[in-house]
Amino acid sequence: MALADPAQTAPPQSRVKILWPIGLGLLLFLMGLWALHHLLASIDVHQVIAQIKATPWPTLGAALGATSLGYLALVGYDFWALHYLGKQLPLRTVALGGFLGYAFGNTVGISVISGGAVRYRIYSAAGLNAFEVAALSSYIALAMGLGLTMVGVLALSVHPAALAGVISAPEPVIRIGALAATALILGGAFYLSYTGRALRIRNREIAMPAPRILVGQLAVALFDSTMAAGALWILMPAGTPPFASFVAIYAAASMVGILSHVPGGVGVFETVVIAALPAGVPLGEAAAGLLAFRMIYFLLPFVIAFVVVSLNEARLAGGWATRVFGEISEPMRPVISGIEGIAPRIAGVAVLGLGFWMVIVALMPVLGRQGGEPGLITAVLAEGGTQLGALAGVLLIVLSHGLVRRVRLAYWLVLAGLVLGVISVLAADLDIDNAVVLSLAAVVLLPFRGAFHRRVALTEGGYGPLWFAVILGMVASAAVFFFLAYAAHPYSNALWLDFTASSPTPRALRAGLLISALLLGFLLWLTLRPMRRFALSPDPEQDASVAEILAAQDVPQGWFALTGDKCVMFSPDRSAFLMYAQRGGMRVVLGDPVGPPETARQLAWEFHERAVSEGLTPVFYEVSTKNLPLWIEMGYALHKIGEEAVVDLQKFSLTGSKFKTMRAEQNRALREGFTLEIASPPHAPELIATLRDVSDAWLAGQKGREKGFSIGRFDPRYLNHCEIALIRRDGEILGFANLLGGLEARRFAIDLMRYRPEAADGVMQFLFIGLIEALRDRGATELSLGLAPLAGLPDRASARLTSRLGNLIYRHGGSFYNFEGLRRFKQKFRPEWRPHYVALPPGTSPYLALTEITLLISGGARNLLTKD
């Protein structure tokens, strides 16, 4: 369940692709609720709950046993998937990744905390790369779908009457169709496996694993589906079809639930199962069995997995957990640490569920009341506890979003909300069971304290369509439950004024009104609140603050914040900043945030959320590998855009045969009177005027006007922040370049490089060599020669289309820009090539983003197609 919704950040075309599954899933969920309401309209909720409580322990034990075996089989999917990829991992790692992936993925069912997200954290820490984890997750999804379909049609071929209530066709027709489908699935799978051929569906290819792996995978699928169906069948009442028939019902309901895009198939799965049951099965007992199955097969593994993650968090931190459970072994430490990044999302989902449960508790009739006539104090406590529980439930639902965003204040308020919930359930009905559950939840959350480090507003950013859909689904579920629970109580206006402790219906009505009012008020406030706009800072000390941060961080790229064509956003303590510009619906940051690592991370999150809250797409352009974990944590996709040439000044030397030609050219330039001078700021107006003449002469030979954003422009205000390297001959300035980096810096970069057209031959090479030698003598360590766009992009058939297209432009795009020649020139200095990327939110088209960034740099389409 994605609480921080990426759909808001997508352009209109991609946004439709993201929103339609959300809308379809919500529609199917509401339709399932409506169908359940009509199917179960005759049941008594009191009896359903009593039926669950009265379930015999042997029955519960058998269901738990089947569930345990089913989850053991689920881990087998990961085992065989790794064999398919030719990878071997320790069995403990596979067991942990498989169990946590299914425990969280089965319950939640959406990508923010799906099995794929959990597996990525675990298996990437164990040595698999992102592509291998993606392939593993795709294999598992395909294997589960194939296995579930095979089991369903096979069971249907044996018992064609299993879906008589759903499929209106003669039994012989159903049996023949099921047998044909079984033969097609098995025959096709083994044919592809033995021949090594791939099944092509549109532009996708599906290749079967080797026969040995395929047999093992089918055995796992058969066992998994059988155990899951068995766990539900054990809990169902008398009159349920025989187990072999029930397997077909379970498989059909599971497939419909998966295809519905509803998290966990809630409502849709139950509707199909109930509709397929014979008419004589008691609906109330069937509903009790389905509810118990949800708790045992879905909720209980989620709780166990949550506790496992919590205990491991505590063991990583040391203290009592290490003393009690021992230290984590060194081989497993990276794997356990890998889960840490998804812990806030797990906590957010758990708290969201607890909030919803508190809402249901506030709407529930009182089932277990002590004997005797309740008095005034009991009535006051019951009323106050119910309303307090409703308030706590809404508070937890709202705060769960802050947990996903790692907000520190949300974490502490959630703990306060859980304490409030404990007080409410004890006051309302001395409900010890729920008090224990809420208390244990607070205890389990304690080890996660370090994961919530962000000090930002609770309500800023991230409330997208999916979050609203989740809230709407919860409200609809609570409403259905309320009407089912109080169907036997005729409505009367007098109920609103009944405050006796023996009348739960009036309290539930008032609690429902409070819940509705709180949620509606919050949603309206989110919708109507004024937007917080970005603007260029009017602070006259902005440049000084930027320079102070750059002096502490020594990041040459950060000097582009002084060009005057970008906005600057500071952290609250002004120890970090990022620079950005806006074009169309995109807000583009140049480079990595500059500042202390943790402050820079928080600043990136705040920028993301503020852009999203204004309906804009946040983009981070020309980022390095320094913050790769941050972009993964934020869910961004990275697209390589080129490589930066960085010269190690302390190792560079013109000696050796490789530099023979360059050494000769340098000596020739020195004989002709070329000299290098580095002028410190501020610069005399006369020097700026001379440099302007050089710049204008250089621009006259180019097509289009000055560029910007990721490139400096000739501006005296900007140049007066920088040292300027001057190339002279007989006192005349032939060319210049401004340096990015302070006087005491160790890392430098070159920005503007301009020269008189008549002196073009050899000027830039002399400039580079002269700067390398001069900065090395000053004790500097690095000099960046700038980015080589589109360099280093893979050209493999399996590479992204953007990479292959970029590689094609790099090799054959000389009519527009000499990409290959630029890289070849910089390669003469034997630099280290460092990759740079553009980081894009989910659903953002890289083609659209790079087009907008190109137009932003060039200053418009008219200046785009230039060769300079």
Side-chain angles (χ1 to χ4, degrees), residues 564-584:
D565 64 346
K566 290 177 286 294
C567 300
V568 177
M569 179 178 174
F570 291 96
S571 62
D573 61 358
R574 296 183 82 84
S575 66
F577 75 88
L578 55 76
M579 47 191 158
Y580 66 91
Q582 183 171 322
R583 179 179 171 86

Side-chain angles (χ1 to χ4, degrees), residues 592-632:
D592 298 293
V594 181
E598 188 55 43
T599 307
R601 283 164 53 88
Q602 293 190 30
L603 186 61
W605 270 106
E606 183 179 355
F607 177 87
H608 168 90
E609 289 164 358
R610 288 174 60 180
V612 168
S613 68
E614 297 184 27
L616 297 170
T617 303
V619 174
F620 289 81
Y621 175 68
E622 242 185 78
V623 298
S624 66
T625 58
K626 180 174 66 174
N627 289 311
L628 286 182
L630 172 63
W631 311 128
I632 293 173

Side-chain angles (χ1 to χ4, degrees), residues 289-323:
L290 285 164
L291 186 55
F293 174 72
R294 281 286 177 187
M295 291 189 289
I296 291 174
Y297 198 84
F298 292 91
L299 185 58
L300 182 59
F302 181 92
V303 172
I304 293 173
F306 192 25
V307 172
V308 167
V309 174
S310 176
L311 287 176
N312 283 318
E313 286 282 319
R315 291 172 69 194
L316 283 173
W320 68 268
T322 303
R323 291 192 298 270

Side-chain angles (χ1 to χ4, degrees), residues 778-797:
R778 282 168 46 172
T781 58
E782 290 183 1
L783 174 64
S784 171
L785 306 183
L787 188 72
L790 306 182
L793 272 62
D795 192 27
R796 298 177 181 272

